[in-house]
Every structure is written in structure tokens, then in C-alpha cells.
Amino acid sequence: MIIRLGQIELFVTNLEKSRDFYVDVLGFIEVERIEKSLYLRAVNEFEKYSLILTESSYAALASFGFRVSTPDYLHVLKAKHEELGIKTEMLVESPHPGKGPILKVAEPNGHPVEFYHSIEQLNIGNKQGGGNALPMRHTHLQKGIPPLNIDHVNIRVENVQKALDYWEKHMDFSISEFVQGENGKFAAWTRAKTSTHDVALVQAKGPALHHIAYTVDGVVNVVRAADLLADAGYRDSIEYGPGRHGVTNAFFLYVRDPDGHRIEIYAGDYHRDRDLAPIGWNMDEYEEKGRLWWGPSVPQRFFETTPVNKEWLKDFHPQK
């Protein structure tokens, strides 16, 4: 089975500027740097890294990846995608450090998706001392907000129902909430875990990435993120918020990194069993209170998106 969203790779155009933003200001932990890739971890994560920043000639979503329950399940997913006529590529070993086999697939709406099981964990298994062995028990070394865990990606798709046929029907994701438009679903929040979403699907010109999200420790730290950015000279990077969503109930702040990638600083959504019926909104409800329960008005810039890895599209979606 698919367990959860585990990793995101972004193409950035200047790795040093990106490092300053993510590590020195936001407080991601720098794990290692190999050639043109920087590997980062949030402070509560047991896996070696969850965010990869790779220097490129253009900014884009390189891929997003999910951890699965067993190595054998990668082969189950490979067969399932092939039955659906979806191109796959199985690599015996990931090009990124500490990972075993990965399955790359052509998600039907054109987004680069990877599945993996094996990844290096923090070296805590042989340590003694209880809490001192846990990744979060180093607060004296932490900087920034800091971010706690990877949470979700929000992607733009041209047809939400087509996307749901893949994520819900074939990948066994649950829908937590949806927005019903005049001609079908306008948006849906889907999950492998019990919180509100791993992947949000919103109708727009796609394929594209809208944002990635990391959780922080409560509402206070969402607000603190805005202070940190402004104090560090990144006031213009604050795009939208703080505020509260109606959909998911989460408290949010959206910020832009030096390449324009949007990161949601996120806290307070709910957990709900995956087998329960989703919560539905109509378009009027969503526009009135769904996108924004309270807070500042939505800026026009918020509707801009990040493109998808061009090389991946060429290999997996030549029609794009």
C-alpha cells in the first residue's frame, strides 16, 4: 500500500540562494550536498531527507514521491500502471543517496511521480538514552521556524475527475473534501494518511505545481514564520496569509522562495478516518468560506504556478 507523501525535488537556479532561504531562514536541516543537489530534512523527520533542491537552468517541479509499505509493492504498482497503459521506469537504485529501488510513473495528468520503500533512516537504532535518540530532541541546534514534517503537494490538473480516477480508484487514496463545480469536481483533497491530504487536485491549466507544504508547531509558529522572513530581508517573499482555510481547517502562510516556488507553512488541519464519506462544498461556498475562512484577501499572484520538469515530460508525456 501507499503510506504517505515522503519527498519532493525542486529544480532551483541558484543553490546558494536557495540554501540561504531554506536552511538559514526557514530552518531546514542541511543533510548533505552532492554535486548540484542539496538534501534537506525537517526537524521531526526520521528519514534522512524529504526535500531535494537541485540546481538547474530553470525552476520547476522535478518530482514528488511516496513511500510504500514493502519493496514488493513497487512491483505491484508497476504492473498496475502497465495495465492502465501508463509508462513506468523501475530503477534498481535511486540516483539520490540512501535510497533503494524507485518506480517512476507517468501520472495521467502529466506530473512526475516516484514510489519508493527503502530510504536511509537517521542513525538512532543503536543509541541509548530515550528522548536523546529522537530527531526532534535537538532544539538547542534548531534555527528558523523550524518546519516539522513534509505534509502535502497541491497540483494543477486540467480534469479533476480524470485525476481522481487515478488517485482514488487506482492508487486507493481517500477524498477528504471536494468542491463541486457546474461541470464536475473543481477540486479534491486526497490522502493516503488520515490527515486532510497528501495530494490536492485543483482544476486549471496543467500540469503544474501550485505549492508544497510543511507543518510547523501550531498557529504561533505560522505567524512567527512571517516575522522571520520579514526580519531576514525576505518581506516580499510573503505572498498570502496568515489566515485560516475553510477547507481542511488549516492555518496557513504562503511564501515564495528565491525561484518563486510556493511553500505553505501549515498547521492545524484535522485527522479523520479514510473510510468516511468526504465533505463537499459547492463553488459559492468555496469562494465565500472554503478557500479563506478568515484572513487577507487572495492576491492575484496566488494563482501563478510552477512548471513541471521539461525533460520528464518529454520522456513520459511526449504529447505534452
Side-chain angles (χ1 to χ4, degrees):
M1 62 181 291
I2 299 170
I3 298 174
R4 57 178 170 79
L5 177 72
Q7 289 191 348
I8 296 166
E9 182 179 4
L10 299 175
F11 286 164
V12 299
T13 58
N14 187 312
L15 202 55
E16 291 305 324
K17 286 185 178 180
S18 294
R19 185 200 174 280
D20 290 345
F21 182 82
Y22 284 93
V23 176
D24 293 340
V25 179
L26 294 184
F28 282 83
I29 297 169
E30 181 177 351
V31 176
E32 63 182 309
R33 179 172 177 171
I34 300 176
E35 297 178 347
K36 293 185 177 182
S37 290
L38 185 66
Y39 298 86
L40 306 179
R41 177 175 64 83
V43 299
N44 279 8
E45 293 174 338
F46 287 83
E47 293 186 356
K48 189 175 181 180
Y49 53 87
S50 64
L51 181 60
I52 308 165
L53 305 176
T54 297
E55 193 165 74
S56 175
S57 60
Y58 66 101
L61 169 66
S63 68
F64 56 98
F66 298 88
R67 187 165 187 267
V68 302
S69 53
T70 66
D72 288 343
Y73 196 69
L74 294 175
H75 298 281
V76 173
L77 284 174
K78 186 175 190 297
K80 184 178 291 191
H81 282 84
E82 289 172 349
E83 288 175 5
L84 294 170
I86 296 173
K87 182 177 179 179
T88 69
E89 181 182 3
M90 182 78 84
L91 300 182
V92 175
E93 187 174 350
S94 169
H96 297 296
K99 291 180 74 175
I102 62 170
L103 176 68
K104 299 172 67 175
V105 307
E107 183 269 341
N109 281 271
H111 296 88
V113 178
E114 296 183 357
F115 300 98
Y116 67 96
H117 171 73
S118 300
I119 183 169
E120 185 178 343
Q121 303 290 308
L122 297 188
N123 185 23
I124 63 173
N126 296 322
K127 290 185 178 180
Q128 302 297 317
N132 289 333
L134 298 174
M136 63 289 295
R137 292 276 54 85
H138 301 281
T139 56
H140 61 299
L141 301 177
Q142 293 169 7
K143 299 186 294 185
I145 319 166
L148 299 183
N149 295 96
I150 191 172
D151 191 79
H152 65 264
V153 295
N154 183 302
I155 59 176
R156 294 309 193 236
V157 298
E158 294 186 10
N159 187 313
V160 173
Q161 189 57 58
K162 177 183 176 182
L164 284 175
D165 287 344
Y166 174 76
W167 290 105
E168 182 187 19
K169 181 178 178 181
H170 298 296
M171 296 298 102
D172 196 32
F173 276 44
S174 167
I175 304 173
S176 62
E177 303 193 42
F178 66 89
V179 178
Q180 186 68 31
E182 291 184 3
N183 300 311
K185 286 185 173 62
F186 169 77
W189 287 259
T190 74
R191 68 242 172 94
K193 57 183 188 290
T194 59
S195 59
T196 56
H197 56 309
D198 289 279
V199 182
L201 309 164
V202 180
Q203 181 181 316
K205 184 174 175 58
L209 171 70
H210 187 264
H211 66 264
I212 68 173
Y214 275 80
T215 59
V216 295
D217 188 12
V219 170
V220 169
N221 280 301
V222 176
V223 177
R224 183 168 178 265
D227 273 341
L228 282 171
L229 287 161
D231 294 348
Y234 287 93
R235 179 177 175 179
D236 291 343
S237 294
I238 301 170
E239 180 181 62
Y240 177 32
R244 185 178 294 279
H245 292 307
V247 172
T248 77
N249 191 54
F251 202 76
F252 69 86
L253 176 73
Y254 292 95
V255 304
R256 296 284 199 109
D257 77 0
D259 283 290
H261 296 303
R262 184 180 293 104
I263 306 99
E264 183 179 15
I265 310 301
Y266 185 82
D269 72 336
Y270 57 83
H271 286 252
R272 190 165 180 254
D273 293 339
R274 294 178 70 253
D275 63 327
L276 298 175
I279 297 165
W281 301 70
N282 62 41
M283 284 298 296
D284 288 340
E285 292 169 336
Y286 178 67
E287 292 295 343
E288 182 181 358
K289 290 186 177 180
R291 181 182 285 116
L292 183 65
W293 193 256
W294 62 262
S297 59
V298 184
Q300 188 59 38
R301 186 184 179 206
F302 185 69
F303 299 99
E304 297 173 358
T305 58
T306 292
V308 166
N309 179 347
K310 290 185 290 190
E311 287 74 18
W312 188 92
L313 276 180
K314 181 179 178 181
D315 290 342
F316 281 85
H317 274 266
Q319 72 276 16
K320 296 287 183 178

